[in-house]
Amino acid sequence: MLVLDNNLLSDFLDGKQAARTFLEQHEQEPWAISSIVLYEAYMGSIHGYIGGSPSTIRQAITMSMDVLDVTEQTANEAASLQEELMAAGVPADHPDALIAANAHEHGGTFATAEKHFWKPDVQSVLSVAKYDPC
């Protein structure tokens, strides 16, 4: 399962070619997003950073991917992940750690443009797909 970060989802929803190309390369895998990323997409829509209303975004997402709930287990997974990342000297920002933990919890690969996650020390702890929008 490929779990999209907000940067990839936003580009996909805006129809950017880099996102389309990246996702075409992963079309054999099921796609998912964390419910936190869904919230971020709604806020992007409301503030004008992503085209479309929250309801059209929800419809586009549910047609092509699953939404993973953030639960107490996800919080526990995020704490463990952050401890491992800190021990490796590469801690993540708190929201990013929670989203990455949601991917890890479901056995997925975290697809992100956040270069911090591309570091080998992070990838030794977490499965990451590098999305480069450039």
Side-chain angles (χ1 to χ4, degrees), residues 81 84-85 87-88 90 104 117-128:
L81 176 64
E84 289 183 66
L85 293 173
V90 288
H104 190 261
F117 285 97
W118 299 2
K119 295 177 182 176
D121 288 339
V122 173
Q123 292 191 31
S124 69
V125 175
L126 176 71
S127 177
V128 177

Side-chain angles (χ1 to χ4, degrees), residues 35 37 48 53 57 67 86 95 97 105-107 126:
S35 57
V37 170
S53 68
I57 287 173
V67 177
M86 287 179 71
E105 170 186 23
H106 291 277
L126 176 71

Side-chain angles (χ1 to χ4, degrees), residues 13 42 45 51-63:
L13 292 172
Y42 289 161
S45 169
S53 68
S55 62
T56 58
I57 287 173
R58 176 70 179 154
Q59 183 179 16
I61 288 170
T62 57
M63 289 176 55

